[in-house]
Amino acid sequence: MHYSLGIDAGGTYTDAVLVRDSDGGIIDSNKALTTYPDPLAGIKKVIDGLNPEYVENVKLVSVSTTLSTNTILEGTGFPVALILIGDHPLEKEFPTEHVLLARGGHNHNGEEVFSLDLEAIEKFALSVKDKVSAFAISSYFSTRNPEHELKASDCVLRLTGLPAVCGHELSQELGAYERAVTAFLNAQLIPITRQFVKSIIADMTERGINARLLMLKCDGSVIGIRDALKKPIETIFSGPAASLVGASYLSGLQTCAVVDVGGTSTDISSIRIGVPDLSDEGAIVGGWKTRVRAIRMETTATGGDSHIWTVDRELYLGPRRVIPLAVAAVQYPDFLNNLRRTPMPPREDLDENIQPTKFFVRSGYAAGELSKVEAEVLNVIGDEPVSIHEIKSLIRKDLHPQTLDSLIKRRLVQAIGFTPTDALHVLGEYTAWSEEASRIGAERLARLMRMTPHEFCTAVKKRVARNMALHLLSYILQGVPYTAIEKILDGNYPAKFRLGIPVVLLGGPVRAHRKELEELIDAEILVPDHAEVGNAVGALAGKGIKRVEILIRPASLMSPDKDFLVFAPGSRLRYDAYTEALNAATEIGKKLVEDYMKDCGLSGSQIEISVEKKTVSPDGWNHPPMETNLLVMGVGMRGLHIEG
């Protein structure tokens, strides 16, 4: 009996699911806290919690993760040098100080405009090779002829031994600037993704598992490990893509909206007739616009681990993530006593960091350059949680909240506080951790709000549901201002929206929010079986999808009946006759699709290939098309049919 293993390494939890290959039945699942700064320990722990008899017979492992996204958002990627060839827009901002503009490039027909200045590239590569970990190369009109990018890449590899990413490998769309940024971000992620994949392979090897390894892409399709290592940029947002694909499979719905409530954030997306809704624009990551196709998504920084705090009897939710009190009491043996004996701070001192339920603990990240005050504070925060009161006593002076803010932003310190997860523990709707720690926290904050602990936790739960409803409606009602939706929901005569699309909820304790959401939105709201590990299911259920776009044009409009150029990914070819060019382009597209599917472990009847042809010709044009756009699309399925 063979099995498949799906793993999702999220911001808070790492989930795993085991599926029986013969009938697609889910036979085991597990959750573990994601570990920082290295997620490998969390992955080991989540697999350790699965039945070892099944694990040793795993033949396929598919992974989704927020690793790529977080690396870019946090600005923790490796240093990269950028080589721009040809007529690039220099007024634009680039994400690195190591930039070379080299002579070269091609025109729209793929003909060389200027010869490549290899001497300048050689000099630049040698000057920065000890300052960077990779190179990104983007040549003008490289989608029509990649020759200069390939020559520059060979040169860099020969002189430095470092990897080089070419823009044409990542996108066939025009847009030199976005393609350059995409190549840069991809180069940043190569060392990180390589280490991540190596870690998973090492764990699989240690367990004696001989399995094919796949990763989920941000459009909901899977990618073979070779492509994942070459193009890690395509795995950004793979976590939200996994939730979307997983929700569709678990609910049996081909068309639905999905609300995935994680520990760190809530992601909203949708799928139509089995195909994820993709953004018309390239994915924007950390403010940088890319040429990467990704799902259309609305994200709110509200999750089960969002910080709940109060000032002047106002309740605040997030946006920062903290370790819930309930979890901290299990992780740190003396924390419960510390929580009980910590004095209440004066009401006038309260802010986000000064709360009767807020504590701080050292993270695993290495400290860089710190100010004198930051170093003093960090020095008294150790491996056991401490309160503001304790920090002040240890440094023997007053503490400015901005100092803690700086240490938290730099990930040197992790905060602990009251969260929606704690509220559910008090209400008895989710009790995986310490109920007593949550109850003590609720009593302290409820006193400040002049409520009972039950009233306070109910208010928190309603606030979470309202946030979910607002962001779901904002996603569905594209173009309607967020403030307008708020006014309708919160007005004197609140309206209830009716949605004609089913809504699937995913996440650990997500069932607890279903009733409150139904009070705000009139829709079919479903919580499928295995909703708590839906992302791990999605990592397995992702289809193999490969899109190959090929352009055919006459070499010259002066002789439109002969001499045709074919612009395919990574190549520029020439044919005498149009039919010859069309046939060759179709075969090239099919071959690229089949090779991709082979890396995903798919072949033969598991793959469906379609060819779509669009032509452009002016009125009265009695020649072969002036332009032919060929889209060769392959969809591969592994025959996964999820059962309860």
Side-chain angles (χ1 to χ4, degrees):
M1 190 75 71
H2 292 164
Y3 305 93
S4 294
L5 171 63
I7 301 171
D8 176 68
T12 302
Y13 286 101
T14 295
D15 302 339
V17 65
L18 273 170
V19 170
R20 189 169 44 233
D21 289 348
S22 60
D23 60 5
I26 295 177
I27 56 165
D28 202 1
S29 64
N30 193 28
K31 293 177 81 73
L33 289 169
T34 297
T35 50
Y36 293 95
D38 184 1
L40 181 60
I43 291 170
K44 280 182 177 291
K45 190 170 182 180
V46 82
I47 299 174
D48 284 342
L50 298 171
N51 187 317
E53 289 182 26
Y54 299 144
V55 171
E56 66 184 24
N57 287 305
V58 163
K59 295 301 175 188
L60 175 75
V61 179
S62 191
V63 182
S64 64
T65 179
T66 57
L67 175 72
S68 299
T69 320
N70 292 348
T71 298
I72 295 170
L73 293 177
E74 295 163 17
T76 54
F78 284 71
V80 170
L82 184 58
I83 297 174
L84 306 174
I85 301 168
D87 191 17
H88 279 267
L90 284 182
E91 70 279 2
K92 297 270 192 177
E93 184 184 355
F94 288 100
T96 177
E97 60 183 284
H98 307 298
V99 182
L100 169 72
L101 182 64
R103 186 179 172 91
H106 295 78
N107 64 15
H108 66 283
N109 252 2
E111 292 158 350
E112 189 177 76
V113 177
F114 297 106
S115 58
L116 180 63
D117 188 350
L118 267 177
E119 188 178 333
I121 292 169
E122 289 174 357
K123 187 177 177 183
F124 175 73
L126 290 171
S127 70
V128 300
K129 71 182 179 70
D130 296 326
K131 302 173 186 175
V132 300
S133 298
F135 286 78
I137 303 166
S138 181
S139 177
Y140 209 64
F141 272 117
S142 64
T143 53
R144 301 289 166 82
N145 192 334
E147 177 188 16
H148 285 182
E149 284 187 356
L150 294 170
K151 283 184 178 178
S153 174
D154 289 343
C155 171
V156 164
L157 184 63
R158 174 173 50 83
L159 292 174
T160 70
L162 295 173
V165 176
C166 297
H168 79 272
E169 296 172 326
L170 302 170
S171 173
Q172 284 301 296
E173 294 182 49
L174 299 179
Y177 174 70
E178 288 83 3
R179 205 163 54 249
V181 168
T182 306
F184 170 84
L185 295 175
N186 198 70
Q188 263 200 331
L189 296 173
I190 281 179
I192 296 156
T193 305
R194 186 174 287 157
Q195 183 56 47
F196 179 69
V197 169
K198 278 183 178 178
S199 298
I200 294 173
I201 291 171
D203 188 60
M204 298 293 114
T205 304
E206 191 179 312
R207 296 174 193 273
I209 297 172
N210 181 21
R212 182 181 295 276
L213 183 59
L214 304 176
M215 289 187 79
L216 199 73
K217 290 167 57 180
C218 49
D219 62 358
S221 65
V222 290
I223 186 171
I225 202 60
R226 283 192 305 174
D227 275 341
L229 289 171
K230 283 174 60 181
K231 304 177 183 179
I233 189 71
E234 293 189 345
T235 66
I236 57 170
F237 303 138
S238 71
S243 71
L244 181 58
V245 175
S248 175
Y249 270 92
L250 290 174
S251 66
L253 296 171
Q254 292 289 292
T255 299
C256 60
V258 178
V259 180
D260 178 18
V261 183
T264 309
S265 64
T266 294
D267 299 319
I268 294 151
S269 52
S270 60
I271 190 166
R272 278 185 285 186
I273 322 173
V275 179
D277 281 340
L278 299 182
S279 171
D280 293 333
E281 301 290 326
I284 297 173
V285 196
W288 297 104
K289 186 178 178 184
T290 72
R291 284 293 180 194
V292 178
R293 292 174 68 88
I295 61 169
R296 186 171 75 84
M297 179 177 62
E298 175 109 2
T299 298
T300 166
T302 303
D305 294 354
S306 293
H307 184 211
I308 303 290
W309 50 291
T310 177
V311 175
D312 297 330
R313 292 182 64 188
E314 283 287 326
L315 179 67
Y316 295 92
L317 174 60
R320 284 192 182 154
R321 171 188 175 269
V322 296
I323 299 172
L325 300 177
V327 175
V330 174
Q331 287 187 325
Y332 305 101
D334 198 42
F335 177 71
L336 204 54
N337 290 329
N338 199 353
L339 178 62
R340 284 194 193 100
R341 66 173 181 257
T342 296
M344 293 283 287
R347 285 178 181 266
E348 61 271 18
D349 288 352
L350 293 177
D351 69 4
E352 187 178 356
N353 280 325
I354 301 176
Q355 294 286 308
T357 50
K358 194 80 179 275
F359 295 80
F360 306 89
V361 68
R362 195 88 171 252
S363 75
Y365 287 88
E369 193 173 324
L370 299 174
S371 70
K372 184 181 177 183
V373 177
E374 287 171 342
E376 280 180 341
V377 173
L378 186 62
N379 193 46
V380 300
I381 298 176
D383 297 331
E384 291 294 322
V386 291
S387 66
I388 287 280
H389 177 75
E390 289 173 296
I391 295 171
K392 285 181 178 179
S393 299
L394 290 165
I395 63 173
R396 298 181 181 179
K397 62 173 77 168
D398 206 12
L399 174 65
H400 202 291
Q402 284 182 344
T403 304
L404 281 168
D405 267 341
S406 174
L407 293 173
I408 290 167
K409 283 178 183 175
R410 293 164 75 169
R411 296 183 168 264
L412 299 174
V413 166
Q414 173 69 60
I416 296 167
F418 194 85
T419 67
T421 297
D422 290 300
L424 294 181
H425 275 72
V426 175
L427 296 171
E429 296 183 38
Y430 180 69
T431 53
W433 306 91
S434 169
E435 296 170 62
E436 190 178 356
S438 298
R439 180 183 53 75
I440 294 169
E443 286 170 354
R444 291 178 148 237
L445 292 173
R447 199 182 313 161
L448 294 172
M449 294 288 289
R450 296 179 188 170
M451 293 175 166
T452 68
H454 190 276
E455 287 171 341
F456 175 73
C457 292
T458 301
V460 168
K461 190 180 165 192
K462 285 186 174 179
R463 177 69 68 87
V464 170
R466 176 188 171 275
N467 264 30
M468 287 165 61
L470 276 171
H471 284 275
L472 174 61
L473 292 169
S474 174
Y475 176 88
I476 299 248
L477 303 171
Q478 273 185 286
V480 177
Y482 189 79
T483 50
I485 300 170
E486 276 189 308
K487 283 179 182 176
I488 294 169
L489 274 184
D490 301 338
N492 292 329
Y493 305 99
K496 191 172 183 180
F497 284 87
R498 175 177 290 177
L499 299 183
I501 182 173
V503 179
V504 179
L505 304 184
L506 286 189
V510 77
R511 281 179 178 81
H513 299 292
R514 181 176 178 173
K515 183 182 173 185
E516 280 78 10
L517 198 57
E518 286 174 337
E519 290 173 3
L520 297 166
I521 295 174
D522 183 4
E524 181 187 2
I525 299 176
L526 307 168
V527 183
D529 289 339
H530 309 294
E532 69 283 356
V533 289
N535 285 30
V537 172
L540 269 183
K543 299 175 181 178
I545 300 175
K546 179 67 174 176
R547 300 172 180 87
V548 178
E549 296 175 43
I550 300 176
L551 175 67
I552 304 170
R553 301 176 64 171
S556 169
L557 294 179
M558 302 300 290
S559 53
D561 294 308
K562 60 180 183 178
D563 196 11
F564 292 88
L565 296 172
V566 173
F567 303 104
S571 61
R572 172 180 178 267
L573 305 164
R574 210 165 192 143
Y575 297 92
D576 289 335
Y578 175 74
T579 52
E580 189 184 359
L582 182 62
N583 291 337
T586 304
E587 290 307 309
I588 290 168
K590 287 181 177 178
K591 176 73 165 54
L592 288 170
V593 166
E594 286 166 358
D595 288 348
Y596 177 92
M597 294 297 174
K598 188 177 178 182
D599 267 356
C600 295
L602 298 164
S603 61
S605 61
Q606 294 175 302
I607 308 169
E608 287 183 12
I609 299 179
S610 62
V611 181
E612 183 183 321
K613 183 177 74 170
K614 290 183 180 178
T615 60
V616 177
S617 294
D619 291 339
W621 182 263
N622 297 315
H623 306 280
M626 189 177 285
E627 187 171 289
T628 301
N629 289 285
L630 214 60
L631 173 62
V632 182
M633 188 152 103
V635 178
M637 294 292 292
R638 289 191 296 275
L640 181 63
H641 303 290
I642 303 299
E643 296 179 352

